[in-house]
């Protein structure tokens, strides 16, 4: 890359107040003299809604179901582990051995998902976004069969192995689905479609928690049905055989503009003006990409215009997991027990948190195109920061007054609200928006790998953090959230209503931390 291409590009990535008035005026004038961007806004057609619906039900809902499937029936699963050990060795497991096996069982999901995530880019580019999701269901079937036979063959090892396979397909789905949801809808619906990923994950967690109650499918006799019913949402992916492949993938990766145009016509309700505008955009991107060499894995780390958005993508995924969200969910049942809830009521209260998370994720889906990605990330991270300090302080001083326990519950609810309003969904959306097609799948797979690896670290280490510093664990998360909020403020761009080409162009003129004064006059305020 030429030296000048490494110069800074303002575009909302940095505060425009750093620029002199002279440069601001020149920037504004430079925008006015350029031709206006074509209107790329469209409506949600029936075929588009069909394609999005079958993809998110079979993928995102499936991810949520498998994340939450062991939450509520933990006691009956524990009894199965113990009874199996007794039948073999004529003695029950010690608590320490069970805790180890249970940690391994739960940890294998994010670990498997990390491997699935890093492979998702290769599969998405080789087989396509749609076919990649169809092929991923091979692991869904393997996992379902292992879950089904576990009780009948009296082997808890099948559940442990199944957990790894569930991680594989969760990682693949969370890598491929955001690509599909970014490339399928028109520009003005891109954010709303992207939030459906997180919305269906949350819905899957909520429903599996409800179905896992002892009175429904969480009993000793019915839990095999609970862990096998995951095959039902997978049937939604039969609809993918009739769904559209990504037009951008067809045009740029498969070099088939005719099929891309026909696919766009169906997705856009035969709006010729919109189809022509999008085809022109794809043509321009294809020409630009053909004039450059293929993006390699190494380019993502060495080329500044790719490295900078990759740093941003990776950091927002690390922030999502190291915010302590899994710790809050993990500790929620104990929080509700601490205020006097008994029997099944702590589980009901945990389900209530799931309902709150679902509602607020739906709110994010509705407002994201109006509010923007960055502002919702800032509100979410800032609110989580205050809530985390609130949880920590009320736990620390809970012995002073009983009413502080109720405040702990309140802060936990607010924590979930702020997580759901932005940090839950937006990292998945923005990662796909920050890269062109030639780098998007590879960059997305790295981000998914980092996300699930971070989830694995937090899930496994939280019990040790709690043992080491106790009630101060949420103070630790609060401190991390201060850093994450500042990072969002200074380094994360706003991508609302911007084409991928406009977003990626900006990084060609930007350094991550410093301005390059020699290129100030080429800056623009379009962002």
């Amino acid at each position: 890359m030429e030296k000048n291409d490494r110069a800074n590009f303002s575009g909302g990535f940095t505060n425009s107040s750093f620029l002199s008035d002279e440069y601001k005026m020149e920037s504004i004038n430079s925008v006015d003299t350029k031709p206006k961007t074509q209107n790329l806004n469209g409506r949600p057609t029936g075929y588009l809604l069909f394609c999005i619906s079958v993809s998110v039900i079979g993928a995102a809902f499936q991810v949520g179901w498998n994340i939450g499937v062991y939450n509520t029936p933990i006691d009956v699963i524990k009894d199965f582990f113990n009874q199996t050990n007794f039948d073999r060795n004529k003695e029950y497991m010690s608590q320490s051995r069970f805790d180890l096996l249970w940690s391994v069982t739960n940890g294998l999901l994010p670990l498997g998902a990390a491997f699935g995530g890093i492979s998702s880019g290769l599969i998405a580019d080789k087989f396509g976004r749609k076919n990649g999701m169809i092929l991923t269901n091979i692991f869904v079937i393997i996992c379902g069969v292992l879950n089904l036979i576990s009780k009948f063959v009296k082997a808890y090892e099948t559940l442990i192995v199944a957990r790894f396979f569930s991680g594989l397909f969760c990682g693949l789905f969370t890598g491929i689905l955001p690509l599909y949801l970014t490339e399928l809808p028109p520009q003005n619906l891109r954010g709303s479609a992207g939030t459906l990923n997180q919305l269906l994950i949350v819905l899957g967690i909520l429903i599996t928690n409800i179905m896992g109650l002892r009175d429904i499918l969480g009993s000793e006799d019915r839990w095999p049905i609970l862990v096998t019913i995951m095959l039902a949402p997978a049937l939604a992916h039969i609809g993918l055989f009739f769904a559209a492949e990504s037009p951008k993938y067809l045009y740029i990766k498969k070099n088939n503009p005719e099929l891309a145009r026909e696919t766009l016509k169906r997705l856009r309700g035969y709006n010729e003006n919109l189809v022509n505008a999008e085809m022109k955009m794809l043509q321009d991107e294809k020409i630009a990409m053909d004039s450059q060499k293929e993006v390699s894995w190494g380019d993502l780390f060495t080329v500044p215009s790719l490295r900078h958005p990759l740093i941003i993508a990776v950091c927002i995924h690390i922030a999502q997991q190291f915010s302590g969200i899994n710790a809050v969910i993990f500790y929620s049942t104990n929080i509700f027990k601490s205020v006097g809830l008994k029997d099944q009521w702590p589980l009901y209260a945990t389900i209530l948190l799931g309902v709150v998370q679902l509602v607020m994720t739906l709110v994010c889906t509705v407002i994201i195109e109006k509010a923007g990605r960055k502002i919702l990330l800032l509100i979410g991270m800032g609110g989580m920061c205050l809530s985390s300090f609130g949880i920590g302080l009320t736990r620390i001083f809970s012995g002073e007054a009983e009413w502080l326990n109720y405040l702990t519950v309140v802060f936990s609810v607010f924590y979930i609200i702020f997580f759901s309003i932005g940090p839950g969904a937006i990292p998945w959306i923005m990662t796909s928006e920050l890269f062109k097609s030639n780098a998007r799948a590879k960059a997305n797979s790295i981000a998914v790998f980092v996300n699930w690896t971070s989830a694995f670290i937090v899930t496994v280490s939280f019990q040790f953090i709690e043992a080491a510093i106790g009630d101060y664990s949420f103070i630790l998360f609060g401190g991390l959230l201060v850093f994450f909020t500042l990072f969002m403020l200074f380094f994360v761009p706003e991508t609302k209503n911007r084409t991928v080409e406009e977003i990626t162009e900006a990084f060609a003129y930007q350094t991550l931390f410093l301005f390059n004064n020699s290129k100030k006059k080429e800056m623009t305020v379009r962002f």
Side-chain angles (χ1 to χ4, degrees):
M1 177 166 290
E2 296 295 330
K3 181 178 180 180
N4 286 344
D5 288 340
R6 301 184 182 182
N8 182 46
F9 186 91
S10 138
F13 299 96
T14 51
N15 194 322
S16 61
S17 63
F18 285 98
L19 302 178
S20 68
D21 292 338
E22 175 186 356
Y23 291 135
K24 289 182 186 178
M25 185 59 67
E26 288 182 14
S27 300
I28 293 171
N29 290 337
S30 68
V31 175
D32 292 340
T33 58
K34 292 183 179 181
K36 293 184 180 297
T37 304
Q38 297 186 66
N39 184 7
L40 297 173
N41 294 342
R43 61 183 179 85
T45 62
Y47 186 57
L48 174 64
L49 293 175
F50 166 77
C51 296
I52 291 176
S53 298
V54 297
S55 64
V56 297
I57 292 172
F61 184 87
Q62 183 74 267
V63 172
W65 182 277
N66 281 273
I67 289 174
V69 70
Y70 286 168
N71 286 357
T72 44
I74 181 174
D75 290 336
V76 294
I77 302 294
K78 178 180 179 179
D79 291 341
F80 171 68
F81 274 59
N82 262 323
Q83 188 60 48
T84 301
N85 191 76
F86 183 83
D87 293 340
R88 294 175 183 174
N89 306 313
K90 304 305 178 185
E91 64 178 1
Y92 292 109
M93 285 186 189
S94 64
Q95 185 64 43
S96 60
R97 185 183 176 193
F98 174 77
D99 289 342
L100 176 62
L101 282 175
W102 194 248
S103 296
V104 170
T105 303
N106 282 323
L108 281 176
L109 186 141
L111 184 64
F115 286 104
I118 201 66
S119 306
S120 62
L122 176 64
I123 292 175
D125 276 350
K126 184 173 179 61
F127 300 103
R129 285 50 165 148
K130 180 183 81 168
N131 291 332
M133 287 188 285
I134 292 174
L135 289 173
T136 298
N137 282 284
I138 294 173
F139 297 116
V140 176
I141 294 171
I142 294 174
C143 180
V145 171
L146 288 172
N147 283 331
L148 177 65
I149 67 174
S150 57
K151 185 173 182 180
F152 300 102
V153 299
K154 297 182 178 180
Y156 56 74
E157 290 84 358
T158 61
L159 290 179
I160 297 175
V161 175
R163 200 64 171 161
F164 179 76
F165 278 105
S166 68
L168 281 177
F169 69 70
C170 284
L172 287 166
F173 280 143
T174 53
I176 299 172
L177 180 61
L179 298 176
Y180 191 66
L181 296 179
T182 297
E183 297 175 352
L184 211 66
Q187 178 177 290
N188 61 309
L189 300 177
R190 199 173 60 204
S192 297
T195 58
L196 290 176
N197 179 32
Q198 182 68 15
L199 181 68
L200 267 292
I201 289 176
V202 172
L203 181 62
I205 295 173
L206 175 62
I207 291 181
T208 192
N209 282 339
I210 295 173
M211 300 295 287
L213 292 173
R214 188 178 293 273
D215 294 336
I216 305 179
L217 292 180
S219 66
E220 182 179 351
D221 296 328
R222 294 189 293 269
W223 70 261
I225 300 174
L226 176 70
V227 296
T228 307
I229 205 172
M230 54 172 289
L231 294 173
L235 295 175
H237 273 178
I238 294 175
L240 285 178
F241 290 99
F242 309 97
E245 180 55 274
S246 158
K248 180 167 285 193
Y249 174 81
L250 293 172
Y251 195 118
I252 294 175
K253 287 293 183 181
K254 303 302 290 183
N255 197 26
N256 193 335
E258 294 80 12
L259 184 55
R261 175 178 283 275
E262 291 303 312
T263 302
L264 271 175
K265 284 182 179 179
R266 294 188 66 189
L267 290 170
R268 304 296 180 258
Y270 297 91
N271 183 336
E272 288 294 335
N273 291 333
L274 180 57
V275 170
N276 290 336
E278 291 198 42
M279 286 297 294
K280 178 63 168 60
M281 183 180 66
L282 292 176
Q283 181 185 33
D284 292 342
E285 183 177 348
K286 177 67 173 172
I287 293 172
M289 287 176 55
D290 287 344
S291 65
Q292 304 169 358
K293 68 181 183 69
E294 181 71 19
V295 172
S296 67
W297 289 95
D299 290 336
L300 290 169
F301 299 95
T302 58
V303 177
S305 61
L306 295 173
R307 184 175 66 242
H308 297 162
L310 181 65
I311 291 173
I312 290 172
V314 165
C315 285
I316 60 178
H317 279 278
I318 290 175
Q320 184 196 65
Q321 292 300 326
F322 279 89
S323 66
I325 180 60
N326 287 327
V328 172
I329 295 175
F330 171 83
Y331 190 71
S332 61
T333 301
N334 288 337
I335 290 176
F336 295 124
K337 286 181 178 178
S338 70
V339 297
L341 297 181
K342 299 178 180 179
D343 300 324
Q344 293 287 304
W345 285 105
L347 296 178
Y348 296 148
T350 300
I351 290 171
L352 176 62
L353 281 186
V355 172
V356 171
Q357 188 174 8
L358 178 67
V359 171
M360 295 311 299
T361 304
L362 183 60
V363 170
C364 179
T365 303
V366 173
I367 69 174
I368 186 171
E369 291 298 350
K370 294 182 179 179
R373 282 67 153 153
K374 182 171 183 175
I375 187 64
L376 292 181
L377 276 176
L378 286 172
I379 292 173
M381 286 292 175
M384 290 165 68
C385 178
L386 295 176
S387 301
S388 187
F389 281 123
I391 294 172
L393 291 173
T394 52
R395 289 181 66 194
I396 292 169
F397 296 104
S398 60
E400 304 295 327
E402 184 178 350
W403 58 269
L404 286 174
N405 288 324
Y406 295 93
L407 268 186
T408 305
V409 176
V410 172
F411 281 121
S412 299
V413 171
F414 275 112
Y415 187 100
I416 294 295
I417 289 174
F418 284 114
F419 175 81
S420 304
I421 202 67
I426 292 176
W428 304 105
I429 301 170
M430 290 194 70
T431 302
S432 296
E433 292 180 329
L434 293 175
F435 298 90
K436 290 184 179 180
S437 297
N438 61 342
R440 182 177 298 140
K442 290 184 177 71
N444 205 64
S445 63
I446 292 173
V448 173
F449 174 80
V450 170
N451 186 287
W452 282 106
T453 302
S454 300
F456 172 75
I457 293 171
V458 173
T459 301
V460 172
S461 64
F462 179 68
Q463 59 180 333
F464 300 105
I465 295 174
E466 280 279 284
I469 61 177
D471 294 338
Y472 288 88
S473 57
F474 285 94
I475 302 296
L476 172 63
F477 289 125
L480 290 174
L481 280 161
V482 171
F483 170 77
F484 295 145
T485 303
L486 292 174
F487 180 87
M488 304 295 172
L489 177 64
F490 290 111
F491 302 119
V492 174
E494 178 56 74
T495 59
K496 180 187 72 170
N497 291 333
R498 303 296 173 187
T499 66
V500 175
E501 288 65 38
E502 289 175 325
I503 296 167
T504 55
E505 178 191 359
F507 285 104
Y509 297 96
Q510 183 224 5
T511 55
L512 187 60
F513 297 108
L514 301 174
F515 289 112
N516 185 321
N517 293 329
S518 65
K519 294 293 287 184
K520 275 187 178 179
K521 290 189 178 183
E522 296 187 23
M523 295 178 183
T524 161
V525 293
R526 283 183 297 170
F527 285 72

